[in-house]
Amino acid sequence: MNIFEELKNKCNMEQVEQFLTEKGNQTEEALRRYLEQLQCPDTGLIEAMGYSLFAGGKRLRPALVLGSAELFGGDIQKVIPSACAIEMIHTYSLIHDDLPALDNDDFRRGKPTLHKVYGEAVALLAGDGLLTLAFELLASTGNAEVVVEVAHSAGVNGMVGGQYLDIQSEGKVVPINILQEIHRKKTGALICASLRCGALLSNASPEGLNAITEYGNHLGLAFQIVDDILNVTGDEKTLGKPVGSDTEHKKSTYPALLGLEQTQKLALEQTHKAISALECFGEKAEVFRQLAMYMLLRNH
Ligand code: FPP
Ligand code: MG
């Protein structure tokens, strides 16, 4: 039995799916409310924002915010605005990432990308609209630490900076430490910030915050490594976006640098490290252990 088969036996898929569905539904309901509340005569713009916001994302990041709050005994209603804000930032990043100036992708989550339907100008503005609304929601928490946390993870020192490095490294063979930096910033930072926001808004102890940060760092890295693997081995239909695009764009990825087998080992190693970080939480963190395995085994 190979190591992935073994993991499949250990992973309680149902528990994770139930967790993601429950948190996804809570997020979805609130997201609809926030869009409805936008008193804006330009309904076309809001429609475009909704097109991507409700296009069938996994809602992983808001689930991490809500799950982390639960782990630290926090109040779900208190963290819902941050969960939605982070999903808005994630959605904006995908809209802009798909634009012709960046990855030039026509499909995402099995649907035409936003600019294919509404045009590039509207896609840019819909992304901007989501990003600014996100910070309005974050500010509404009254917790400056949370606003700074998300700004930091989404900005030049996080997602935006990582995306820039990613573009700069196209067509080059970058050393593994730079590749890791790109992954950490581009994807890992927002995933980790999601967990930290849930913790910060639930009065987590410094030790608890450190442990969840460690989990988030490893989970985030594993997540992007799996994303790269799926871009090679994935099924276009299940994935809802083109496979092989990284090779086509001469992107620096782990599979390109190390080969598939080594890359899978690395993803597994990061998953184990993520799980180890949860030790101090005992049984309470079981769903996060399961989630780390589930994310490694995912096919979309
Ligand atoms: C898929 O997430 C997305 C990633 C793995 C992140 C990639 C990073 C970028 C595209 C950064 C772009 C940044 C800018 C500023 C343009 P997912 O599998 O959770 O997606 P889902 O919501 O469709 O499930
Ligand atoms: Mg892309």
Side-chain angles (χ1 to χ4, degrees), residues 40-80:
C40 167
D42 308 318
T43 50
L45 181 58
I46 296 173
E47 187 188 306
M49 287 157 72
Y51 176 82
S52 290
L53 209 46
F54 303 108
K58 289 185 287 295
R59 310 293 192 208
L60 167 67
R61 294 154 191 80
L64 292 175
V65 180
L66 299 174
S68 175
E70 227 161 53
L71 178 65
F72 289 102
D75 172 4
I76 292 299
Q77 285 319 310
K78 207 170 147 190
V79 294
I80 276 278

Side-chain angles (χ1 to χ4, degrees), residues 155-172:
V156 171
N157 282 309
M159 187 178 69
V160 172
Q163 180 75 359
Y164 177 77
L165 283 177
D166 190 40
I167 290 166
Q168 293 303 305
S169 67
E170 273 178 29
K172 293 182 197 151

Side-chain angles (χ1 to χ4, degrees), residues 198-267:
L200 287 169
L201 288 165
S202 308
N203 302 317
S205 66
E207 296 76 27
L209 191 60
N210 279 344
I212 207 66
T213 304
E214 170 111 0
Y215 171 72
N217 280 331
H218 292 299
L219 184 77
L221 194 52
F223 189 83
Q224 182 58 55
I225 299 173
V226 172
D227 202 71
D228 285 356
I229 294 175
L230 289 173
N231 198 278
V232 179
T233 65
D235 167 54
E236 208 146 301
K237 233 180 161 162
T238 322
L239 219 50
K241 58 184 182 185
V243 296
S245 56
D246 286 345
T247 318
E248 203 182 303
H249 289 124
K250 297 196 171 63
K251 290 246 187 198
S252 279
T253 64
Y254 279 100
L257 210 63
L258 301 177
L260 217 51
E261 205 174 318
Q262 268 304 105
T263 305
Q264 276 166 336
K265 272 195 193 145
L266 213 69

Side-chain angles (χ1 to χ4, degrees), residues 67-239:
S68 175
E70 227 161 53
L71 178 65
F72 289 102
D75 172 4
I76 292 299
Q77 285 319 310
K78 207 170 147 190
V79 294
I80 276 278
S82 307
C84 290
I86 290 177
E87 186 67 2
M88 286 177 189
I89 293 172
H90 165 61
T91 306
Y92 119 77
S93 83
L94 300 182
I95 295 171
H96 284 192
D97 183 59
D98 290 335
L99 282 168
L102 283 111
D103 278 357
N104 193 19
D105 278 322
D106 295 350
F107 281 91
R108 160 93 51 195
R109 299 155 169 168
K111 290 172 73 177
T113 42
L114 185 60
H115 66 272
K116 282 279 153 191
V117 182
Y118 292 87
E120 283 178 46
V122 175
L124 266 172
L125 294 173
D128 295 338
L130 287 168
L131 178 59
T132 27
L133 179 56
F135 278 94
E136 192 178 327
L137 288 174
L138 287 164
S140 78
T141 64
N143 185 320
E145 224 181 328
V146 163
V147 184
V148 172
E149 177 75 36
V150 179
H152 195 82
S153 70
V156 171
N157 282 309
M159 187 178 69
V160 172
Q163 180 75 359
Y164 177 77
L165 283 177
D166 190 40
I167 290 166
Q168 293 303 305
S169 67
E170 273 178 29
K172 293 182 197 151
V173 180
V174 301
I176 195 111
N177 61 321
I178 301 288
L179 188 57
Q180 200 178 86
E181 186 189 347
I182 295 173
H183 279 25
R184 281 200 189 289
K185 288 184 169 170
K186 186 177 83 165
T187 309
L190 197 60
I191 287 182
C192 190
S194 304
L195 290 155
R196 284 176 54 86
C197 282
L200 287 169
L201 288 165
S202 308
N203 302 317
S205 66
E207 296 76 27
L209 191 60
N210 279 344
I212 207 66
T213 304
E214 170 111 0
Y215 171 72
N217 280 331
H218 292 299
L219 184 77
L221 194 52
F223 189 83
Q224 182 58 55
I225 299 173
V226 172
D227 202 71
D228 285 356
I229 294 175
L230 289 173
N231 198 278
V232 179
T233 65
D235 167 54
E236 208 146 301
K237 233 180 161 162
T238 322
L239 219 50

